Amino acid sequence: MTYKILRRALCSSSYKKRPQICIVGAGPAGFYAAMHITKKIDSVNIDILEKLPVPFGLIRYGVAPDHPEVKNVINQFTKVAQQPNVNFYGNVTLGKDINLQQLRQHYDAVLLTYGAEEDKTLGIENEDATNVIAARNFVGWYNGLPSDKDLKIDLSGKTAAILGQGNVALDVARILLTPIDELKKTDITEHALAVLSESKLKEIYLVGRRGPLQVAFTIKELREQLKLKNCRTIWNENDFVNVEAVVPDLPRPRKRLTELMLKSLKEKQTVTDDSNISYFKPVFFRSPHKFLVDAKKNLTGIELVCNKLVGENLEQQKCVPTGEKEVLDCDLAFRSIGYKSVKADNDLALNHGFVENNNGIVEDTHPNLAKLYVAGWLGTGPVGVILHTMGNAFQVAKVMCEKLSSMDEQNRGGFEEIKKVISEKNANIIDWNGWEKIDQYEKEQGKLRGKPREKICSVEEMLEIAKK
Ligand code: FAD
Ligand code: NAP
């Protein structure tokens, strides 16, 4: 911090004239964009505003606790944040503490990277029943997201169904089926460990509306699932009719994934009485039609409609109902059919759950305000791994750099001006130094329990520690 202040004082004459850039959202898209811009333009000032007191978005609150290697990107982001011309301002929410127009008045460019914070819903009967849970909330709960820490989940039943066949669905299945002693070594929250250690779940269905050739999960994640200790995978042979015949013509990633499913199918695992074994049961060609409940609105099952596929291109085939229905009895259901972005500010228009843009540029009718850009899941929709998000953020940052280099010299006030507006409503802005205190505290707490970290799950507590 001292170094930062010193550097800034030394460059103060040129600092005033630096383009002032605001990035909203401290997830991968925000950090990768900042990384690219600071590499390409020397004299720039970047302020990253983040709703939570802590950075890293879904790296901290989405990526599964048993995937620590994925979280290593945090080291790169930390280096970005420690540059003298990059500032982190946590606990600042666009749409609450500040609005878009104010940001665009006081910065030379504004980049929105605030992700996709809601989940898609099915819109079917009894979706609000007890024990119908959004995968997004379950993920937030085991990862310590403050807004999800009080999630009510009952794992006393034998059967759960996960609706959707993407990588989030596989994360949920794996966390439910992994032996508790293995989870204990990760940064999973203590409240989740306590509940998971009492789990009575024995079988988990993974329900897809299309077939094995259209699954959205990827090979690495399936392989991990198939290798879980004390867990057997039971496929339904009827779901794989004609699949083997088309394998040679499939594009490579899909081919390898399908070959792995076929190999696992041929291993023919069977259900036994062994109480130590749990079962993972993917089922295909089934769409949820209605959640079934008892008189107290507790979940008892799901009515599924059976589908067939239509269309030429195998991977793009659509499902249509056959008219047949069946019931899957279960005690717990997770909806895992994707995320969607929210409209954080009235000046924004969302279409199909993301902000429309042209190469990252958001077209609008305010020529006197700073140009507006969008990157990451907010601009692409909620798809893609960190690598895709990185590619998109770099591409948008490149466009921003081109525009900034051809812009007349500006002298906008940046955070100095914004701070006046924010502090009227919020006296608790957390800087990088504050995050480092939280980080250190969490690591110390984790060490006491033999874990890499024990996350603080309350915003109030985070603020207290950061302000010490
Ligand atoms: P986010 O990571 O969501 O970051 C957005 C940031 O904006 C957050 O910090 C949020 O708090 C902040 N914000 C939100 N609203 C506001 C506001 N109004 N004002 C200010 N700030 C705001 N990819 C992999 O490669 N490997 C994995 O193992 C993996 N696991 C995943 C697990 C899950 C459950 C999910 C959902 C995704 C996973 N991904 C994984 C994908 C990866 O997380 C995304 O590609 C990436 O996080 C998208 O980055 P982003 O910056 O667009 O959004
Ligand atoms: P996703 O990959 O888009 O998968 C969504 C699943 O829900 C698909 O199977 C989809 O089926 C199904 N679905 C959508 N609408 C439905 C409906 N109305 N009824 C029934 N099923 C429906 O989304 P995600 O799992 O949330 O993952 C988001 C992104 O994060 C993905 O790019 C994923 O790879 C990434 N991620 C990566 C990791 C990792 O690398 N380990 C972990 C988690 C997430 P259709 O195909 O038929 O639409």
Side-chain angles (χ1 to χ4, degrees), residues 3 23-24 40 47 50 55 87 96 120 131 137 140 149 176 186 206 215 218 247 350-351 370 392 404 458:
Y3 170 71
I23 297 180
V24 179
K40 298 291 166 193
D47 296 332
E50 164 60 46
N87 302 293
K96 188 175 136 215
K120 291 180 188 149
N131 253 12
N137 296 127
K149 72 174 189 301
L176 290 168
T186 73
L206 194 79
V215 290
T218 42
V247 167
L350 261 68
N351 198 356
N392 173 258
L404 283 168
S458 127

Side-chain angles (χ1 to χ4, degrees), residues 23-75:
I23 297 180
V24 179
F31 275 107
Y32 279 125
M35 181 189 290
H36 187 89
I37 295 169
T38 50
K39 267 190 194 153
K40 298 291 166 193
I41 311 180
D42 243 359
S43 55
V44 68
N45 185 69
I46 299 185
D47 296 332
I48 305 180
L49 310 189
E50 164 60 46
K51 171 169 140 173
L52 289 163
V54 294
F56 309 136
L58 285 169
I59 305 298
R60 179 176 160 101
Y61 290 121
V63 172
D66 58 345
H67 284 171
E69 71 293 346
V70 178
K71 301 185 195 206
N72 286 341
V73 287
I74 285 176
N75 300 330

